[in-house]
């Protein structure tokens, strides 16, 4: 096994509970002879062992700590892997038990479950697996994961299909080979589609469609909270869901509002949202979809000043993919929130979200406050929310706290 020495700063970071080592942290730089995806022992500048990590030859995150034990063998890692997957699934049974009202959740959340480079989501009888590093996108890891998931989720041969679907951006960054064709496991006819439930609403899921690897399961409880707060406000007329994607917030608001409009720049996303609407024929609201850029559409409504809303949801994709992009992201959040505040009726509800982990909760809250000041609106923060508990946060890993959701009342 190779041994890699890291800087004092990087060593201090690992000792404080972080799990990542960046390419610039090595002293000296790793040799080209170290196999991509292999296990390496990390030491500090005094050659004191810090643990074992999965090595990546391509990513800026060059090593992800998988054990505080140095010189962990591959066989030992696979035993640990199985045990940690079982623990993650036990946690989900406690935090997000499967029921007819809710049968979709995140099963494995990478570093948050002490399983760096592995993500798994369940949609009813489908499990979507993402292997995000050179060290995990390997056949021995696939075998352990598929076997453990099968034993835990289908002990009595319940319908289950496991697909591996890599994130295209991560696959390019890590220079990963394509996954094996076909499902990793299926005891039925290997479907790629299913219907799942969130908060008693039904949604389609297609593992083979689109660029995204999943629905926004992290917003599950925020969907329900948004609808509950809007209902409590008494202002339940028109609602606007900006960046609706597959209609998560829109369909939940359609339970309490008389009219809901969802906008998104993706026609394919809106077609999926409309299919989800058809799955829920008992919604009280009139729902329509508009294909438009969020900034342009809100700017148009603001300039026209011909319509106001009782509730507006802002749930854009991550604006800050890197720390350098944070300043630009804050300007984007400022404009969206400013436009929304101009359009909200007095007493209306603003549900505003950020999924950029490079934008902190404090910075996001401050930018919404700045928008409120510029709009001349008094904004009461009713609730600050994060991801659902099946996306747990680790206090020593700030990257696991990425989703912010502010629910506000606007005078």
């Amino acid at each position: 096994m190779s041994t890699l020495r890291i800087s004092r700063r990087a060593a201090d970071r690992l000792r404080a509970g972080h799990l990542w080592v960046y390419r610039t942290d090595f002293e000296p730089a790793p040799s080209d002879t170290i196999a991509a995806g292999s296990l390496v022992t990390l030491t500090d500048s005094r050659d004191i062992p810090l643990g074992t990590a999965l090595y990546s030859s391509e990513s800026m995150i060059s090593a992800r700590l998988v054990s505080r034990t140095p010189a962990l063998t591959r066989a030992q890692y696979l035993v640990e892997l199985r045990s940690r997957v079982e623990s993650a699934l036990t946690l989900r049974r406690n935090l997000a038990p499967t029921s007819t009202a809710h049968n979709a959740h995140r099963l494995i959340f990478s570093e948050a479950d002490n399983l760096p480079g592995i993500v798994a989501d369940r949609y009813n009888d489908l499990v979507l697996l993402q292997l995000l590093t050179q060290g995990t996108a390997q056949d021995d890891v696939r075998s352990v994961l598929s076997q453990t998931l099968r034993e835990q989720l289908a002990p009595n041969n319940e319908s289950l299909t496991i697909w591996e679907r890599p994130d295209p951006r991560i696959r390019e960054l890590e220079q990963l080979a394509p996954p094996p064709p076909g499902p990793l496991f299926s005891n039925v006819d290997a479907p790629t589609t299913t219907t799942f439930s969130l908060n008693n609403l039904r949604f389609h899921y297609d593992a083979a469609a689109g660029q995204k690897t999943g629905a926004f399961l992290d917003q599950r409880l925020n969907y329900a909270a948004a609808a509950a707060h809007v209902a409590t406000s008494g202002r339940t007329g028109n609602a606007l869901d900006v960046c609706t994607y597959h209609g998560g917030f829109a369909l939940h608001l359609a339970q309490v509002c008389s009219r809901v409009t969802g906008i998104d720049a993706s026609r394919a996303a809106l077609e999926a949202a409309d299919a989800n609407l058809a799955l829920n024929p008992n919604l009280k609201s009139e729902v329509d979809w508009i294909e438009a850029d969020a900034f342009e559409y809100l700017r148009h409504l603001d300039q026209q000043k011909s319509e106001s809303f009782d509730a507006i949801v802002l749930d854009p994709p991550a604006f800050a993919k890197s720390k350098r992009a944070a300043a630009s992201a804050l300007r984007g959040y400022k404009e969206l929130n400013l436009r929304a505040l101009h359009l909200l009726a007095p007493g209306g509800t603003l549900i505003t979200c950020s999924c950029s982990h490079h934008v902190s909760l404090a910075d996001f809250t401050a930018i919404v406050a700045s928008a409120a000041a510029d709009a001349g609106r008094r904004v009461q923060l009713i609730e600050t929310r994060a991801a659902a508990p099946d996306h747990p946060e680790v206090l020593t890993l700030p990257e696991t706290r990425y989703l912010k959701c502010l629910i506000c009342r606007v005078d």
Side-chain angles (χ1 to χ4, degrees):
M1 179 180 294
S2 299
T3 298
L4 298 177
R5 186 184 296 120
I6 62 176
S7 68
R8 178 177 177 178
R9 180 179 178 184
D12 289 345
R13 194 165 60 238
L14 293 188
R15 290 191 173 105
H18 211 277
L19 299 179
W20 294 352
V21 175
Y22 298 96
R23 185 156 301 280
T24 55
D25 290 329
F26 293 113
E27 297 178 345
S31 165
D32 292 340
T33 61
I34 300 176
S38 62
L39 290 167
V40 297
T41 293
L42 300 177
T43 71
D44 66 10
S45 57
R46 296 170 295 171
D47 292 326
I48 297 173
L50 298 167
T52 303
L54 290 169
Y55 176 71
S56 171
S57 62
E58 299 293 334
S59 174
M60 285 301 297
I61 304 172
S62 297
R64 296 172 190 257
L65 196 71
V66 295
S67 176
R68 299 287 169 177
T69 301
L72 195 74
T73 68
R74 189 78 184 180
Q76 290 172 320
Y77 165 65
L78 294 175
V79 170
E80 282 289 311
L81 181 68
R82 180 184 179 91
S83 176
R84 293 175 191 181
V85 171
E86 291 173 347
S87 296
L89 298 181
T90 297
L91 181 64
R92 285 0 182 247
R93 282 191 286 269
N94 294 330
L95 294 178
T98 299
S99 66
T100 56
H102 170 62
N103 59 10
H105 43 256
R106 175 147 290 181
L107 300 172
I108 300 170
F109 191 25
S110 197
E111 280 83 357
D113 284 306
N114 207 17
L115 289 162
I118 302 171
V119 171
D121 289 326
R122 181 176 189 173
Y123 302 93
N124 192 7
D125 53 352
L126 295 186
V127 170
L128 270 292
L129 184 65
Q130 295 182 60
L131 302 178
L132 303 170
T133 69
Q134 294 174 345
T136 56
Q138 298 195 20
D139 287 343
D140 56 359
V141 172
R142 292 184 177 98
S143 177
V144 169
L145 289 170
S146 59
Q147 181 180 359
T148 309
L149 290 168
R150 180 174 74 244
E151 292 172 357
Q152 294 286 317
L153 302 180
N156 300 309
N157 204 37
E158 294 88 345
S159 176
L160 181 69
T161 300
I162 304 172
W163 290 98
E164 180 182 348
R165 185 162 184 217
D167 182 295
R169 177 173 170 269
I170 298 298
R171 180 178 163 188
E172 181 180 357
L173 288 174
E174 287 274 337
Q175 293 293 292
L176 301 178
L184 297 181
F185 169 79
S186 183
N187 56 12
V188 285
D189 293 329
T192 60
T193 62
T194 192
T195 300
F196 66 94
S197 298
L198 289 181
N199 307 318
N200 276 315
L201 291 175
R202 300 178 69 212
F203 294 84
H204 284 291
Y205 182 72
D206 186 348
Q211 291 297 310
K212 295 182 183 294
T213 51
F216 289 129
L217 299 179
D218 50 3
Q219 290 279 29
R220 172 177 58 92
L221 297 183
N222 297 338
Y223 292 154
H229 280 290
V230 171
T232 301
S233 76
R235 299 301 304 251
T236 57
N238 291 351
L240 180 65
D241 180 15
V242 179
C243 302
T244 189
Y245 189 47
H246 288 177
F249 276 110
L251 296 185
H252 282 77
L253 291 179
Q255 296 174 306
V256 299
C257 294
S258 58
R259 183 170 178 237
V260 177
T261 300
I263 72 167
D264 202 282
S266 167
R267 177 172 295 240
L270 294 179
E271 290 172 350
D274 200 46
N276 290 335
L277 175 62
L279 285 176
N280 298 277
N282 297 323
L283 294 174
K284 63 174 286 186
S285 178
E286 175 187 344
V287 180
D288 59 332
W289 313 108
I290 295 176
E291 182 183 352
D293 174 83
F295 290 94
E296 293 178 1
Y297 188 74
L298 288 178
R299 194 177 301 122
H300 167 76
L301 289 178
D302 190 10
Q303 292 170 348
Q304 293 293 313
K305 301 192 183 302
S306 59
E307 190 171 9
S308 65
F309 297 90
D310 293 317
I312 295 179
V313 175
L314 302 175
D315 187 23
F319 285 162
K321 298 289 188 181
S322 66
K323 187 176 291 188
R324 288 178 299 178
S328 176
L330 289 172
R331 289 193 294 271
Y333 289 126
K334 172 74 175 285
E335 180 174 352
L336 285 182
N337 283 276
L338 180 62
R339 301 289 182 183
L341 290 168
H342 286 165
L343 296 168
L344 274 164
T349 304
L350 173 67
I351 302 101
T352 181
C353 307
S354 165
C355 60
S356 302
H357 85 257
H358 293 289
V359 173
S360 69
L361 173 62
D363 287 343
F364 183 60
T365 304
I367 211 69
V368 176
S370 177
D374 287 358
R377 305 296 298 268
R378 178 173 174 265
V379 177
Q380 295 172 303
L381 179 60
I382 304 300
E383 189 174 2
T384 300
R385 302 183 61 86
D390 49 344
H391 294 66
E393 300 173 7
V394 178
L395 293 181
T396 55
L397 287 169
E399 291 81 3
T400 60
R401 182 174 179 84
Y402 65 99
L403 180 60
K404 285 77 63 178
C405 176
L406 308 183
I407 300 179
C408 305
R409 183 183 182 278
V410 181
D411 287 340

